[in-house]
Amino acid sequence: MIEVAEAAEIVWSSAEALPTESVSLDRLNGRILAEPIDAERDQPPFDRVTMDGIAVRFERGRKRWRLQTRQLAGDPPTRLASEEQAIEIMTGAVLSSGSDTVIPNERYELIDNGDTTEVVLESGYQPEKGQNIHRQASDHIAGSTLLQPGHQLTPAEIAIIASAGRTEARVHRLPRAAIVATGNELVAAGDSIQAHEVRLSNAPALAAAVKGVTGIDCDWHHLPDDREVLASALGEILRDTDILILSGGVSRGRADYVPEVLESLGVKRRFHRVRQKPGKPLWFGTVETGSMVFGLPGNPISTLACFCRYVRPAMMLMAGNANVQTPTVKLANDWTFSPTLTAFVPVVVQPDSEGQSWASPLPTNTSGDFSALAGAHGFVELAATDTRFEVGRAVSYFPWR
């Protein structure tokens, strides 16, 4: 067996960012940018009006103007004829030529004099020269870099890309994942079940976990504990995946054929068995093509814990995110255990009034007690080097999503 930190390092060092592809704006959310995005033009591209009001040429003490015309956002700019006149103007419009100040409409009154309209300033209000104008290029100049490669795109960054006149951007390709649950005893939900059988729950849970990383629906398969069937099916699946995630068949039982079948298919074993609880039988291997294979133990808590601790970071790196961070939380309770193995303990996490997250351990009966996970937010990692973990100790936290 190897230690948790060593296993995590082997997985991380085996993962590489996948090649890039061009993706349209409507599919960019959550993806990792693989090219710089430069400004198409100055931002703002002109002196932009930031309030509905009147555009005037500043003259301290002036209280009245004649209304010259109206200019809406999107209209070509007008020209102010003189300091005695004002142009009614709307938010987002180009500042009228010859004006230098915008007075908001709640600060004046329009008086209809028949042939003309007079603008009368509110008593006691004194505008400042240059107010309510977003000056050209004050945000950035044309050609400046707005986004750097490696940025994970949110709706805000997608707006920036669109503002640069781009209809698409290059991002790292998402990993193609496949999920395989093994076991003669497993029966899918919806199928009739006998007393000696159990429901297949790990595969749909893993599919949801994969979608949480990639945003893509992931197909899953159920295979029996049969060498020939496993070899044939896994060989086919491996040809079209970047990450193969198996659940079950990796321990030392007589029907646990997954490790030997994978190695017969050319998957190089990198480690098998990790000093952790749950999930000790974890198996990991790589293929010359760059694909990664994870053999997760079949007990449900083991499966989810191993996915969050090892598989998810690898998938994120393959998708281009090289800055995967492990958050920490503080223990809300004292916790004592006999540390023969590093413990992955399910927790409920709650923030306090200052934003600090506190984790309350949630004991489970066994690693098969998946019903105890209801309400848990993830798990904390407690090192085998200690026996007592006191309230307030900061520990690594791995959320389910």
Side-chain angles (χ1 to χ4, degrees):
M1 287 192 291
I2 65 174
E3 300 295 338
V4 169
E6 183 182 357
E9 175 57 31
I10 291 172
V11 171
W12 184 256
S13 63
S14 301
E16 293 183 355
L18 293 169
T20 65
E21 60 182 355
S22 289
V23 171
S24 60
L25 289 174
D26 61 331
R27 295 169 49 228
L28 284 176
N29 193 39
R31 302 292 291 273
I32 306 299
L33 189 64
E35 64 169 329
I37 301 297
D38 296 334
E40 178 185 36
R41 53 183 185 157
D42 294 343
Q43 179 61 29
F46 46 77
D47 288 343
R48 177 182 172 274
V49 173
T50 63
M51 299 279 284
D52 294 339
I54 55 170
V56 300
R57 188 178 307 159
F58 182 79
E59 184 181 355
R60 189 168 296 279
R62 179 174 286 279
K63 301 295 184 181
R64 294 173 178 267
W65 297 265
R66 293 192 310 278
L67 192 62
Q68 176 182 322
T69 188
R70 176 182 293 119
Q71 183 185 326
L72 304 180
D75 288 348
T78 55
R79 180 171 183 79
L80 188 66
S82 72
E83 66 274 7
E84 297 176 349
Q85 295 181 302
I87 295 174
E88 189 175 16
I89 201 160
M90 305 302 158
T91 302
V94 182
L95 182 66
S96 304
S97 174
S99 65
D100 57 16
T101 300
V102 174
I103 300 172
N105 56 18
E106 62 268 23
R107 295 297 191 174
Y108 60 80
E109 182 182 359
L110 294 177
I111 300 175
D112 187 356
N113 293 325
D115 293 339
T116 62
T117 299
E118 189 175 21
V119 182
V120 180
L121 199 64
E122 175 187 282
S123 177
Y125 176 71
Q126 177 57 54
E128 296 296 327
K129 185 176 182 179
Q131 69 180 26
N132 300 319
I133 300 169
H134 191 184
R135 292 295 180 183
Q136 180 175 347
S138 59
D139 292 351
H140 57 253
I141 62 172
S144 59
T145 298
L146 306 178
L147 295 173
Q148 295 283 359
H151 207 105
Q152 185 167 21
L153 301 176
T154 70
E157 285 81 29
I158 293 170
I160 292 171
I161 294 170
S163 75
R166 302 284 297 272
T167 61
E168 58 184 25
R170 293 203 71 82
V171 294
H172 288 280
R173 180 170 66 77
L174 293 174
R176 299 164 299 178
I179 296 167
V180 175
T182 67
N184 296 339
E185 76 280 16
L186 301 178
V187 177
D191 293 344
S192 60
I193 191 168
Q194 300 184 55
H196 60 277
E197 297 172 325
V198 295
R199 286 296 182 193
L200 191 160
S201 61
N202 287 346
L206 287 170
V210 168
K211 186 171 184 179
V213 179
T214 65
I216 295 176
D217 290 322
C218 180
D219 292 335
W220 56 268
H221 313 266
H222 174 213
L223 298 177
D225 294 320
D226 182 287
R227 283 190 184 90
E228 293 184 2
V229 173
L230 285 168
S232 176
L234 294 182
E236 188 71 28
I237 293 170
L238 272 171
R239 282 194 281 272
D240 196 36
T241 60
D242 300 302
I243 291 186
L244 171 58
I245 308 165
L246 297 108
S247 171
V250 294
S251 192
R252 291 182 171 178
R254 290 188 177 275
D256 289 331
Y257 303 126
V258 167
E260 63 181 81
V261 168
L262 288 173
E263 292 186 56
S264 73
L265 294 172
V267 183
K268 179 182 179 181
R269 183 184 68 181
R270 303 299 302 277
F271 62 78
H272 187 192
R273 294 168 61 85
V274 183
R275 294 184 185 278
Q276 63 189 32
K277 183 180 181 180
K280 183 170 64 175
L282 176 66
W283 192 97
F284 172 68
T286 55
V287 185
E288 288 185 354
T289 59
S291 297
M292 309 173 76
V293 181
F294 293 88
L296 310 184
N299 281 326
I301 298 178
S302 300
T303 298
L304 285 179
C306 288
F307 179 90
C308 295
R309 184 64 177 89
Y310 303 102
V311 185
R312 183 167 59 198
M315 294 188 74
M316 293 173 70
L317 178 55
M318 295 178 85
N321 187 353
N323 190 32
V324 179
Q325 301 292 323
T326 300
T328 60
V329 295
K330 290 187 177 181
L331 292 178
N333 313 87
D334 289 332
W335 190 258
T336 303
F337 74 107
S338 300
T340 56
L341 303 169
T342 294
F344 296 159
V345 181
V347 291
V348 174
V349 177
Q350 298 291 340
D352 62 20
S353 59
E354 298 179 354
Q356 174 62 55
S357 294
W358 293 84
S360 299
L362 187 67
T364 59
N365 188 18
T366 66
S367 59
D369 183 17
F370 59 89
S371 60
L373 295 183
H377 299 120
F379 68 89
V380 294
E381 182 177 310
L382 305 182
T385 53
D386 289 336
T387 60
R388 178 177 173 79
F389 294 83
E390 65 282 356
V391 170
R393 167 109 45 122
V395 292
S396 296
Y397 170 56
F398 298 87
W400 298 137
R401 57 181 180 181

